[in-house]
């Protein structure tokens, strides 16, 4: 059972546009939702994160919108830049070791 | 310093070889993780060490053997691997404080090719 479902699989956006990536989860015990950004040949890096008791979190051009009743959340990248081209993963930590369950990933390409 | 280092960056090995992957962090973190990532897939958890003790083994084949010599170091010993084990192996660490907003920091990974 896939605990965190992510869409779309790939996304192409023009420079300056808005990129939107969606995630849905099953486990209501999840209590924290980080987004990771991964560039080719690099490990994932924490981008932004949200708790389910908050409906929105904004950091610079990156915003998470959270809908607890629908068990859905999304990442919005405003004024997308070519340097944002990367793979984005939503995730949720679980268990005593807070091990991460990842979504399937979205490969974002921002065209210049 | 939020750096997790991994060596080597790349590794090519035959199915009869024995090799080791190394991971190091100096952030004082007490939880360390090994993940395996195939191309265009998310990382998959393999092992978790908490306070130098193995706390999670996600049913990983015995040809992968983790070791945590001290709180800063994590090794993954490889023996008799199969070509399907070719992947990016990622190490991560976190504080192990139990906090809800605890962050995992990832290393750059070791790209492994098994011939």
């Amino acid at each position: 059972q896939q605990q965190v479902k992510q869409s779309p699989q790939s996304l192409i956006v023009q420079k300056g546009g808005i990129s939107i990536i969606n995630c849905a989860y099953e486990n209501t015990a999840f209590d924290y939702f980080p987004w990771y950004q991964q560039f080719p040949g690099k490990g994932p890096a924490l981008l932004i994160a949200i708790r389910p008791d908050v409906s929105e979190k904004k950091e610079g051009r990156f915003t998470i919108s959270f809908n607890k009743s629908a068990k859905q959340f999304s990442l919005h990248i405003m004024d997308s830049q070519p340097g944002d081209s990367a793979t984005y993963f939503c995730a949720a930590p679980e268990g005593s070791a807070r091990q991460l369950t990842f979504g399937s990933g979205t490969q974002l390409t921002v065209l210049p | 310093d939020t750096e997790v280092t991994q060596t080597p960056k790349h590794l090519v090995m035959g199915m009869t070889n024995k090799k080791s992957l190394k991971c190091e962090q100096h952030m004082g973190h007490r939880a360390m993780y090994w993940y395996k990532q195939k191309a265009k897939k998310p990382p998959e958890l393999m092992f978790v060490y908490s306070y130098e003790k193995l706390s999670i083994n996600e049913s990983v084949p015995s040809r992968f053997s983790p070791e945590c010599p001290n709180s800063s170091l994590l090794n993954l010993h490889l023996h008799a691997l199969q070509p399907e084990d070719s992947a990016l192996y990622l190490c991560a660490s976190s504080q192990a404080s139990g906090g809800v907003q605890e962050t995992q920091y990832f290393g750059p990974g070791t790209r492994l090719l098994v011939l």
Side-chain angles (χ1 to χ4, degrees):
Chain A
Q1 181 185 10
Q2 190 177 2
Q3 296 252 43
V4 182
K5 295 182 180 180
Q6 184 172 346
S7 63
Q9 185 176 345
S10 63
L11 181 61
I12 299 175
V13 174
Q14 292 285 342
K15 179 182 176 182
I18 302 173
S19 304
I20 301 174
I21 304 170
N22 301 300
C23 284
Y25 62 98
E26 300 287 332
N27 187 349
T28 54
F30 288 151
D31 55 10
Y32 187 57
F33 298 91
W35 284 89
Y36 281 82
Q37 179 188 54
Q38 186 176 24
F39 293 104
K42 302 289 187 183
L46 179 67
L47 182 65
I48 186 173
I50 196 168
R51 293 182 60 153
D53 54 349
V54 175
S55 60
E56 184 176 281
K57 184 172 182 181
K58 183 176 181 179
E59 290 184 1
R61 297 184 294 109
F62 301 91
T63 300
I64 303 175
S65 298
F66 197 92
N67 185 331
K68 188 173 181 178
S69 61
K71 294 189 287 185
Q72 295 175 348
F73 57 106
S74 58
L75 175 69
H76 297 239
I77 306 174
M78 312 300 287
D79 186 26
S80 298
Q81 298 297 311
D84 297 330
S85 297
T87 300
Y88 293 81
F89 295 99
C90 58
E94 61 177 332
S96 58
R98 305 291 288 170
Q99 60 269 28
L100 291 172
T101 295
F102 286 92
S104 54
T106 297
Q107 187 169 356
L108 171 65
T109 302
V110 181
L111 300 176
Chain B
D1 181 11
T2 58
E3 188 178 26
V4 176
T5 59
Q6 290 186 244
T7 56
K9 290 189 190 306
H10 303 275
L11 179 62
V12 179
M13 61 185 292
M15 289 189 285
T16 59
N17 292 157
K18 287 185 180 180
K19 297 286 185 183
S20 296
L21 309 185
K22 297 185 185 302
C23 173
E24 190 167 4
Q25 56 87 14
H26 294 289
M27 295 178 277
H29 289 174
R30 302 308 298 272
M32 297 187 78
Y33 310 76
W34 279 116
Y35 289 85
K36 173 182 177 180
Q37 187 177 27
K38 302 283 270 185
K40 299 188 184 300
K41 297 292 186 182
E44 295 179 1
L45 183 68
M46 300 175 70
F47 302 104
V48 181
Y49 273 84
S50 181
Y51 291 86
E52 296 93 69
K53 289 188 179 0
L54 183 64
S55 61
I56 294 178
N57 176 342
E58 291 285 2
S59 303
V60 178
S62 60
R63 57 186 184 268
F64 295 92
S65 176
E67 178 195 19
C68 189
N70 59 56
S71 60
S72 300
L73 292 174
L74 185 66
N75 297 322
L76 186 63
H77 302 297
L78 314 173
H79 173 55
L81 294 194
Q82 304 297 309
E84 59 264 29
D85 296 322
S86 299
L88 181 69
Y89 288 85
L90 293 162
C91 173
S93 70
S94 67
Q95 285 185 322
S97 65
V100 169
Q101 301 185 57
E102 188 166 294
T103 297
Q104 280 189 33
Y105 295 89
F106 285 82
T110 293
R111 178 76 61 187
L112 174 67
L113 177 62
V114 182
L115 300 176

